[in-house]
Amino acid sequence: MSIDWHALFTVFAVTLLSTVGLVGVFTLGVVGLSRREGGAAALSRTGAYVCFAACAAAVAWGIYLIVSK
Amino acid sequence: MEHITLLIGIVIATALVFDFTNGFHDTANAMATTISTGALKPKTAVAMSAALNLVGAFLSVAVAKTISGGIIDESAGIKPEVIFAGLVGAILWNMITWLAGLPSSSSHALFGGLIGAVLVAAGTHGIHGDAVVMKVLIPAAAAPVVAGLASTLATRVSYRVGRRTDPKATARGYRAGQIASAGLVSLAHGTSDGQKTMGVITLTLITGNALAPHSDPPLWVIVSAGAAMAMGTYLGGWRIIRTMGRGLTDIQPQQGFAAQTGAAATILASSHLGFALSTTQVCSGAVMGAGLGRSGAVVRWSTAGRMVAAWVLTLPGAGLVAAGAALLADQGKWGVTVVAVLALAACAAIRTASRRRPVTSANVNETDTAEPQGAVTAAIAAVAPPPPAPAAGTAA
């Protein structure tokens, strides 16, 4: 009986990176939307939408993973 | 579907009942934090989860084919009676843990039940010991740790990045994100857990010679399994939702989002890389991780300890009940009848007991500090011997 440490570690690494990455990007988006004053508001709003688009792409990728199995 | 005997009909019905209990037991996984942070109203949340579970059931049949060949050796002469006994063990364990409001793994209950019944009926050669360790035990230990660490870190990062924002202004954004990741968890749950029941029904049909070996599940099996799980999900296991959404820690929208995303990422990564983790343990671990990630949040270790004790007891507990049921069911028709009657009586008794302190969609978000601990301990102690419990409690 051998424990598949490689698979375990891969799951761990992928989960950690994708979770922190996704939550981080989404938080950036939320922060960008909450800036309403000043000249940089439009810029940060655009940045926020880019962040949300990236998250939506990740969700689509997740659904693709479920379906493609 | 050619000739289906009464016994096989009973087994299929039992499998669908298990699927139903699986549904309401696991509603909490996707929706507990969504409900407790107010991202969705309780009824809306369970309706959405039910719909996505149903959709998920139709997406793939890959897992359904692994249940028979993986852990249980079909060549050891598995009869429908044995599968029936295994299902009864799994259903009763799900009912007991639901009464106690503890999120335990429905998949472990199913595996434990099948393993216990097969051990009694066919002996140790009916079980692939290696597969049990690799596919059940190690993932069980790894799931909450992986998901918990991921969502702890994600919560920290999120609070650090968003430290200059007003929590009230940003809560709406996090709630929206939470709904998306909860939807993903529901979909993945429908795909993986729905298929386990399909696998069991298909295995039954094969053992009863109603289907050729190595067949795909027929369409009516997929439809009925998906529908049973969706109905269970819509009913909502409010007791477990309360424990997970309120009992473990106080969850803010930002944490709920981090926890739910961590859970979705863990489930998808693990199932895609061939290391299927229990949805329940992943989600509970993620919620606790999110609790640890926010400074000032309280993680209730006593609730967590009881939950971990239930995890440890699930495999042996469901196995013991199933072993007893298998002993009886193996005696012939009267044995199967006795098991069915006893199981129905036990379910009715548990339902009656639950009425004394009902938890519904209306009061699911009220914190209930005076939980009926006596009933919990008694119920678990009655099903499995107590020694493992204290060890698990302190380890948590």
Side-chain angles (χ1 to χ4, degrees):
Chain A
M1 182 160 26
S2 63
I3 296 171
D4 195 347
W5 290 110
H6 181 70
L8 196 59
F9 181 75
T10 315
V11 168
F12 186 67
V14 169
T15 304
L16 210 61
L17 287 177
S18 54
T19 307
V20 172
L22 255 176
V23 172
V25 169
F26 193 87
T27 307
L28 280 178
V30 171
V31 171
L33 272 191
S34 71
R35 268 188 208 143
R36 292 185 188 276
E37 304 100 46
L43 188 68
S44 66
R45 182 165 282 266
T46 318
Y49 287 130
V50 172
C51 291
F52 290 138
C55 291
V59 170
W61 170 242
I63 293 173
Y64 170 76
L65 282 186
I66 297 175
V67 175
S68 68
K69 256 199 299 169
Chain B
M1 172 167 39
E2 298 169 34
H3 175 65
I4 292 182
T5 62
L6 178 63
L7 178 62
I8 291 185
I10 292 174
V11 178
I12 292 172
T14 317
L16 291 177
V17 171
F18 168 75
D19 209 19
F20 184 79
T21 65
N22 190 340
F24 74 72
H25 212 275
D26 288 4
T27 319
N29 293 341
M31 290 305 171
T33 59
T34 320
I35 290 169
S36 69
T37 61
L40 284 174
K41 291 217 157 51
K43 283 280 181 190
T44 321
V46 292
M48 174 184 156
S49 185
L52 287 169
N53 265 296
L54 187 61
V55 172
F58 287 92
L59 290 181
S60 159
V61 290
V63 180
K65 293 176 83 175
T66 61
I67 187 140
S68 53
I71 286 168
I72 289 153
D73 193 348
E74 304 149 73
S75 57
I78 306 302
K79 292 182 292 182
E81 288 93 331
V82 179
I83 301 175
F84 172 68
L87 287 167
V88 167
I91 291 172
L92 287 182
W93 186 258
N94 266 355
M95 291 295 286
I96 292 167
T97 46
W98 164 74
L99 180 65
L102 291 174
S104 65
S105 166
S106 301
S107 314
H108 285 189
L110 179 62
F111 288 142
L114 288 174
I115 289 170
V118 169
L119 277 179
V120 165
T124 45
H125 66 275
I127 302 290
H128 294 296
D130 285 14
V132 173
V133 174
M134 266 316 287
K135 290 191 177 173
V136 182
L137 296 183
I138 293 176
V145 179
V146 173
L149 269 175
S151 58
T152 306
L153 268 178
T155 310
R156 289 245 161 99
V157 167
S158 183
Y159 273 99
R160 179 110 190 100
V161 171
R163 66 188 181 283
R164 289 206 192 115
T165 53
D166 174 21
K168 279 191 191 123
T170 52
R172 216 177 121 244
Y174 294 120
R175 288 195 182 117
Q178 212 186 344
I179 294 170
S181 39
L184 214 53
V185 173
S186 293
L187 201 64
H189 181 263
T191 314
S192 67
D193 278 26
Q195 286 189 63
K196 282 171 192 140
T197 311
M198 291 177 212
V200 170
I201 297 178
T202 312
L203 179 66
T204 314
L205 290 171
I206 292 172
T207 55
N209 296 322
L211 264 184
H214 308 296
S215 306
D216 275 346
L219 183 65
W220 65 269
V221 172
I222 300 176
V223 172
S224 51
M229 177 167 285
M231 283 194 310
T233 308
Y234 184 68
L235 184 72
W238 301 111
R239 289 167 179 274
I240 301 175
I241 293 176
R242 179 189 274 179
T243 304
M244 235 163 133
R246 293 268 153 176
L248 287 174
T249 178
D250 298 310
I251 290 278
Q252 305 289 320
Q254 201 164 348
Q255 290 171 286
F257 168 65
Q260 218 55 273
T261 307
T266 313
I267 293 165
L268 287 177
S270 66
S271 70
H272 192 65
L273 295 166
F275 214 87
L277 302 177
S278 157
T279 318
T280 310
Q281 292 172 355
V282 164
C283 293
S284 321
V287 169
M288 287 184 56
L292 287 173
R294 175 167 71 97
S295 55
V298 185
V299 174
R300 292 185 194 91
W301 292 106
S302 62
T303 308
R306 285 193 292 131
M307 181 180 77
V308 173
W311 290 353
V312 173
L313 288 177
T314 294
L315 217 52
L320 267 180
V321 179
L327 270 182
L328 266 173
D330 231 11
Q331 307 299 316
K333 279 184 185 142
W334 67 268
V336 175
T337 316
V338 169
V339 170
V341 170
L342 284 178
L344 282 175
C347 287
I350 291 171
R351 214 178 116 74
T352 316
S354 78
R355 288 285 172 83
R356 276 190 281 166
R357 276 171 170 272
V359 182
T360 62
S361 59
N363 66 358
V364 65
N365 276 343
E366 289 163 19
T367 30
D368 180 19
T369 40
E371 288 171 66
Q373 296 218 13
V376 176
T377 329
I380 289 177
V383 172
T394 45

